[in-house]
Amino acid sequence: MEENTENTSQNYKRIAKNTLLLYTRFTLTLFISLYTSRIILQALGFNDFGLYNVVGGFISLLAFLNSYITQGTTRFLTFALGQEDIDRLKTVFSAAFAIHLALALLILLAGETIGIWYVENKLNIQSGRENAAMFVYQLSLITAVLSILQTPFRASITSHEDMGIYAYISIFDVVMKLVIVYLLMVIYTDKLKMFALFTFIVSLMTSCFYVLYCLRKYSECQFRLKPDLKLYYEMFNYIGWNAIGTIAFTLNGQGITVLLNMFFGTVVNAARGVAGSLSNIVSQFVFNFQTAMRPQIVKQYAQGNIKEMEKLIVYGAKYSSYMCMLFGIPIFIESDTILRIWLGNIPPYASTFVKLSIIQIMIQAIDFPVGYGINAVGKMKLPNITSSLIYLLILPISYIAMKLGANPTVAYLISIICYPGAFLFDIWILHKYIGFNIAHYITHVPLKTTLFVVTASIIPMMIHNYMTAGFWRLSTVTMISLLISCPLIFYKGLDSTTRTLVLNKIKSKIPGLH
């Protein structure tokens, strides 16, 4: 018992350490990313910025399988690490690399055939920019292929919970973004083409770094021609069912980008790109924490510690939603002011897209940890059938609505309506698999979080309505929101044990409070 308690304590310390490292990475990139996004938008203009986003979105649609194959790769590698089986670990990595190589070739083939046809015949592109669009498309396609090939190596880093390396990569990315911004300001050739080329070069250098680091650091990162047919079947079965859910989820994301382009053109795509950059701040803040805790969920399941696994899922969802609340409330209320200060000239619908994206992230914050539990179990047929039926409704309903004259926000609204349905199916499935306590989860995560969000938003909304728009209103709303949210979370959101740990940590860091 004492040994289990010590292991649990070590696991939570590891999660805390990795979360801190990921937030260090996040902080390093945040402000410079906001600055570079502003300059890039100004340098490219709404149309070229929107064109880059829609072409990049189409490539993401072609590479839809990669993100979920990454989850599968990470799951199998982490499971082998949890079982402390080195031979199995080496076999899993080799199988994962072979699968990713096959996927990369498939994406390349699809991109050079169907993809080119779509760009040339279906994309809504400003007259005279067809050549630039194809240039961006080809570089984006190669970048997608590189991303797929490096996935087994990044999955190894995540499985080993070696999150510190991401901070170094982030420093490199930040420096390169500043270099790109400088070059865009001084060059006089086609800025869109140059931006795509510079972004590709940075992606290539990053991919090389991940591969070389893993080859030197982890013994399992060696490709061996020793196929394990049973393992290939397990991985293909896992990935195959995940692919169904991935198609649906990606059509909801990148498919909407293409749909908006069809009906409203590149200016609305620019608004979606701008909204994505701002809402991504909240998203990274939330999901960096989940990235740090996810390997532990898999390892606890691999070791048969179901109760500890359940605690981690509840812990992850609860604190993720609190983090989303801290950032999300002021950004939601003051999105217009933030965008005006940040960009000056705001694309139409950008502010509304930001607000709706915040709501989506909040729902995902409480749903994704449940999904991590399902992924740890590895039975992917049922969850992907149920979620796919929900997600696949979003794109055709959005298409019909836009065809009938609805404005671009309808796609976000339909997603927000559908997401809770997928969440309810997920917690039911996890209950079916491991006896997950549904009533406890709903009471302590979505219901409590909703109550907190409503309570913490009332006074900031009143200030927003009565003060004149500008920096001082933004500052006041943010300060009041945090002054209400932090005590509410501390006294009503944290359990007594966690409150004591936090207080003791604060006392140990501040002289005179011992």
Side-chain angles (χ1 to χ4, degrees):
M1 175 68 84
E2 199 171 308
E3 185 180 347
N4 286 337
T5 303
E6 185 177 343
N7 287 337
T8 299
S9 176
Q10 289 299 320
N11 289 336
Y12 279 97
K13 285 181 180 178
R14 189 179 298 111
I15 292 172
K17 176 186 174 184
N18 286 330
T19 301
L20 181 61
L21 288 169
L22 289 169
Y23 282 142
T24 302
R25 170 198 183 199
F26 169 71
T27 305
L28 283 169
T29 59
L30 172 59
F31 294 105
I32 292 179
S33 294
L34 290 174
Y35 168 73
T36 54
S37 296
R38 173 192 173 104
I39 301 301
I40 289 166
L41 176 60
Q42 291 175 346
L44 298 183
F46 287 165
N47 281 302
D48 276 359
F49 185 77
L51 177 59
Y52 184 83
N53 274 279
V54 72
V55 171
F58 185 58
I59 290 298
S60 297
L61 187 60
L62 287 175
F64 69 88
L65 278 173
N66 188 43
S67 63
Y68 276 77
I69 290 183
T70 302
Q71 289 188 14
T73 304
T74 304
R75 186 262 176 193
F76 280 91
L77 288 170
T78 306
F79 201 93
L81 277 170
Q83 294 181 319
E84 300 180 353
D85 188 339
I86 301 302
D87 287 336
R88 175 74 170 178
L89 192 60
K90 292 179 179 178
T91 305
V92 168
F93 180 85
S94 296
F97 186 80
I99 290 170
H100 280 79
L101 179 61
L103 177 63
L105 294 173
L106 181 64
I107 294 298
L108 187 63
L109 177 63
E112 293 295 350
T113 52
I114 299 170
I116 289 178
W117 171 83
Y118 190 91
V119 171
E120 290 179 342
N121 296 280
K122 295 296 181 181
L123 277 189
N124 186 357
I125 300 170
Q126 186 183 21
S127 179
R129 300 302 286 153
E130 293 83 4
N131 181 262
M134 186 55 64
F135 183 84
V136 171
Y137 175 81
Q138 289 293 344
L139 287 181
S140 298
L141 179 60
I142 299 171
T143 302
V145 169
L146 288 175
S147 177
I148 292 167
L149 292 176
Q150 73 170 335
T151 293
F153 299 93
R154 294 193 65 170
S156 295
I157 294 172
T158 302
S159 298
H160 283 276
E161 301 181 71
D162 191 6
M163 304 303 177
I165 193 63
Y166 291 123
Y168 295 108
I169 290 293
S170 296
I171 294 171
F172 172 76
D173 282 339
V174 162
V175 172
M176 289 298 102
K177 281 180 179 178
L178 290 173
V179 171
I180 290 173
V181 164
Y182 172 74
L183 292 173
L184 286 178
M185 290 191 292
V186 299
I187 61 174
Y188 296 98
T189 55
D190 191 313
K191 292 182 185 292
L192 177 59
K193 288 184 177 181
M194 290 300 99
F195 177 62
L197 179 61
F198 298 148
T199 302
F200 164 73
I201 292 170
V202 173
S203 177
L204 176 62
M205 295 170 71
T206 302
S207 297
C208 291
F209 179 85
Y210 278 125
V211 172
L212 292 173
Y213 177 82
C214 290
L215 290 175
R216 290 174 61 94
K217 181 80 172 179
Y218 308 126
S219 60
E220 74 269 14
C221 292
Q222 303 286 340
F223 181 70
R224 303 185 301 174
L225 284 172
K226 187 183 175 183
D228 182 331
L229 296 182
K230 183 180 178 182
L231 175 62
Y232 273 86
Y233 174 78
E234 288 179 18
M235 294 185 74
F236 270 115
N237 186 56
Y238 182 100
I239 290 166
W241 283 112
N242 250 6
I244 296 173
T246 307
I247 293 171
F249 190 81
T250 307
L251 285 175
N252 172 44
Q254 301 303 334
I256 291 298
T257 300
V258 176
L259 198 60
L260 290 173
N261 175 260
M262 288 172 57
F263 283 96
F264 304 103
T266 52
V267 172
V268 171
N269 286 127
R272 183 166 168 82
V274 166
S277 296
L278 187 55
S279 61
N280 194 46
I281 296 170
V282 182
S283 180
Q284 285 189 52
F285 193 71
V286 173
F287 298 124
N288 277 339
F289 170 67
Q290 292 190 358
T291 299
M293 55 158 276
R294 184 175 176 182
Q296 279 298 321
I297 292 176
V298 178
K299 288 175 182 176
Q300 294 303 323
Y301 180 77
Q303 294 164 7
N305 301 327
I306 303 301
K307 290 297 180 185
E308 188 61 31
M309 173 191 176
E310 287 190 51
K311 282 174 60 179
L312 278 170
I313 291 169
V314 175
Y315 171 87
K318 185 164 62 172
Y319 295 121
S320 295
S321 63
Y322 295 161
M323 292 174 186
C324 186
M325 173 181 163
L326 291 173
F327 266 64
I329 290 175
I331 291 177
F332 183 94
I333 295 173
E334 288 292 328
S335 58
D336 281 307
T337 304
I338 293 170
L339 289 172
R340 196 174 298 110
I341 293 172
W342 173 32
L343 299 174
N345 194 13
I346 308 171
Y349 295 105
S351 178
T352 306
F353 287 173
V354 170
K355 295 177 189 293
L356 297 174
S357 296
I358 296 296
I359 298 172
Q360 289 180 348
I361 293 166
M362 178 64 79
I363 298 170
Q364 291 170 347
I366 62 177
D367 182 26
F368 281 9
V370 178
Y372 300 154
I374 294 171
N375 276 275
V377 175
K379 298 177 183 177
M380 304 310 298
K381 180 178 179 179
L382 181 60
N384 281 290
I385 289 175
T386 54
S387 62
S388 297
L389 290 174
I390 294 171
Y391 288 133
L392 283 173
L393 292 173
I394 296 172
L395 198 64
I397 294 174
S398 299
Y399 176 84
I400 292 169
M402 291 179 192
K403 194 77 173 175
L404 293 173
N407 68 42
T409 60
V410 69
Y412 286 85
L413 292 170
I414 292 168
S415 297
I416 289 169
I417 293 169
C418 290
Y419 278 10
F423 163 67
L424 292 174
F425 271 115
D426 282 346
I427 57 174
W428 170 74
I429 290 167
L430 193 59
H431 169 74
K432 178 181 174 67
Y433 286 168
I434 65 169
F436 189 68
N437 191 327
I438 296 176
H440 176 80
Y441 190 77
I442 289 178
T443 303
H444 286 79
V445 184
L447 291 182
K448 182 177 280 190
T449 301
T450 302
L451 179 61
F452 284 5
V453 169
V454 171
T455 303
S457 300
I458 294 172
I459 296 177
M461 280 297 297
M462 292 172 63
I463 293 169
H464 172 82
N465 290 331
Y466 284 102
M467 282 186 71
T468 305
F471 176 78
W472 290 113
R473 190 182 73 180
L474 169 62
S475 302
T476 305
V477 166
T478 302
M479 181 181 66
I480 297 299
S481 173
L482 293 175
L483 285 174
I484 297 171
S485 298
C486 291
L488 190 62
I489 291 169
F490 185 79
Y491 289 106
K492 296 298 183 181
L494 305 184
D495 57 67
S496 57
T497 304
T498 307
R499 275 200 304 273
T500 302
L501 287 172
V502 172
L503 286 172
N504 289 339
K505 195 69 175 178
I506 293 172
K507 288 177 182 178
S508 69
K509 297 297 182 182
I510 302 177
L513 291 182
H514 298 281

